[in-house]
Amino acid sequence: MSYFDFLIVVATCSLLLFVSHCAESEERKHLYVIGDSLSSPTGCEWPRELDDQYAIHNLAQAGLTMEAFDMPHHQSFRDDSTVVIMMGSNDAGSGVSVLRYKMRLRETIRAAKTRGADRVLVGGPPEIESLLPAVTKYRKAAKRVAKNERVAYFTVKWDADQTIDGLHPTCNFNRLIADQVRNEIERAL
């Protein structure tokens, strides 16, 4: 086999794998994650732990607040899609008003529904010790907005001993968070 033939075989195999992956992605349910550093890509973030069951679209960004989040204008959601919104820790830590947080959360939920999301779940910000008591106000606000918008609300059982720095989850803790989120999604179906 010549080098040129070898390259053709490699390119063909790569194309077949890509097409296969795309087809598989079309068949699986889609999970869109809107969040902050507790969900953002780190190599072992909790959304990645769900990629055996869902095609993951992780829109989370470290440092993001609900106030600063602006759903991309081109963002639409595929059929059989779930959107999980887990934000509020940075809002609590940076002094964003609870009223502003509620307004932006409501806008994001409505945008997700309008753009085709089948299900929207709101995860209240975790009870991170360094953010108490402020974060409690944001949890209550998130729960109220979720109820008013008729979407599921949940909280993640937080374990500060399983964090890197009291805030960011270890890889093992991310697996546990993924299990909790998976259960909440299944409950919402």
Side-chain angles (χ1 to χ4, degrees):
M1 176 185 291
S2 73
Y3 182 70
F4 180 72
D5 291 335
F6 172 76
L7 289 177
I8 290 176
V9 169
V10 169
T12 302
C13 288
S14 296
L15 180 61
L16 289 173
L17 284 172
F18 175 75
V19 169
S20 170
H21 174 75
C22 289
E24 180 182 297
S25 176
E26 289 297 321
E27 294 170 9
R28 291 192 293 168
K29 296 175 181 177
H30 292 265
L31 175 62
Y32 295 82
V33 178
I34 298 171
D36 53 26
S37 62
L38 305 181
S39 305
S40 67
T42 60
C44 68
E45 67 278 4
W46 68 262
R48 185 181 296 234
E49 296 294 326
L50 300 175
D51 71 359
D52 61 329
Q53 189 174 357
Y54 299 94
I56 305 295
H57 308 274
N58 195 342
L59 307 175
Q61 299 172 21
L64 192 61
T65 62
M66 195 74 249
E67 180 179 43
F69 178 73
D70 189 21
M71 191 173 305
H73 297 289
H74 65 278
Q75 182 67 58
S76 61
F77 301 99
R78 296 172 177 253
D79 291 339
D80 205 10
S81 63
T82 299
V83 174
V84 174
I85 303 168
M86 287 181 61
M87 288 207 306
S89 300
N90 290 328
D91 296 87
S94 64
V96 172
S97 78
V98 174
L99 185 61
R100 182 79 176 142
Y101 170 79
K102 286 171 43 178
M103 184 184 80
R104 297 294 292 139
L105 178 58
R106 185 177 305 109
E107 289 171 359
T108 302
I109 291 168
R110 290 178 179 174
K113 287 178 172 180
T114 301
R115 297 177 188 187
D118 293 316
R119 285 163 298 287
V120 177
L121 288 82
V122 173
E127 290 188 323
I128 298 167
E129 191 172 323
S130 63
L131 298 176
L132 291 173
V135 78
T136 305
K137 296 175 190 173
Y138 293 84
R139 287 171 67 102
K140 288 179 182 176
K143 185 175 185 176
R144 200 169 316 120
V145 170
K147 181 180 179 184
N148 290 342
E149 296 299 317
R150 293 182 171 84
V151 299
Y153 173 81
F154 69 95
T155 56
V156 170
K157 186 174 186 285
W158 198 252
D159 184 356
D161 292 335
Q162 292 206 52
T163 63
I164 297 166
D165 54 5
L167 177 63
H168 299 95
T170 62
C171 290
N172 184 57
F173 192 23
N174 271 310
R175 283 188 282 281
L176 297 174
I177 292 170
D179 288 340
Q180 292 179 59
V181 173
R182 180 184 289 117
N183 291 338
E184 295 297 334
I185 293 170
E186 289 172 3
R187 193 172 303 156
L189 293 176

